[in-house]
Amino acid sequence: MGAQYYGADSENGDRIDDPSEDALFMMISDLNDSDNTFVVVQPDEDDPVWFASVAVLDEGGYEIVRRDTTRNEHEVTTATSINDIARDLTIWMAARDFPGRPTRQASEF
């Protein structure tokens, strides 16, 4: 069975369906500068409208790319804290639209 919402794939072939913040942390921690240099997270569909990637930089740290064509977003940043990267990506992905996911509604009291 595929991911319900999105999957994370690393260069070395590891895949986690619907990764938690902790799972993203582990995948990013496993990156190196030789044979596992990036992780890509995107919807589990044929033509995804958004993606996020984390890649190891030669000078140390990580490059984070977030792209969402439905919102006309394209952001490239760098960071050194794996914890911050995993948390920020989890928050960013939670704001993406997923077909079949219930919409959030504010109730009036």
Side-chain angles (χ1 to χ4, degrees):
M1 184 175 142
Q4 185 172 2
Y5 297 122
Y6 53 88
D9 297 285
S10 62
E11 182 179 18
N12 70 358
D14 287 345
R15 177 174 174 85
I16 298 178
D17 290 333
D18 301 317
S20 64
E21 182 177 335
D22 289 341
L24 288 173
F25 180 92
M26 291 182 344
M27 289 186 86
I28 297 166
S29 296
D30 288 344
L31 296 179
N32 59 56
D33 60 0
S34 60
D35 64 349
N36 192 30
T37 61
F38 65 86
V39 171
V40 176
V41 184
Q42 62 188 8
D44 197 22
E45 54 192 40
D46 289 336
D47 191 18
V49 295
W50 65 263
F51 77 89
S53 67
V54 179
V56 175
L57 293 172
D58 290 337
E59 60 274 8
Y62 302 89
E63 177 184 80
I64 302 95
V65 178
R66 295 179 186 103
R67 178 127 172 99
D68 187 333
T69 58
T70 61
R71 298 174 186 213
N72 206 22
E73 295 178 4
H74 186 201
E75 179 181 321
V76 179
T77 59
T78 60
T80 56
S81 169
I82 296 171
N83 189 50
D84 290 348
I85 296 168
R87 182 186 65 243
D88 292 347
L89 284 179
T90 301
I91 292 167
W92 185 81
M93 289 182 300
R96 302 306 97 188
D97 295 322
F98 298 101
R101 181 169 75 175
T103 56
R104 288 173 267 164
Q105 296 180 1
S107 58
E108 296 179 24
F109 287 100

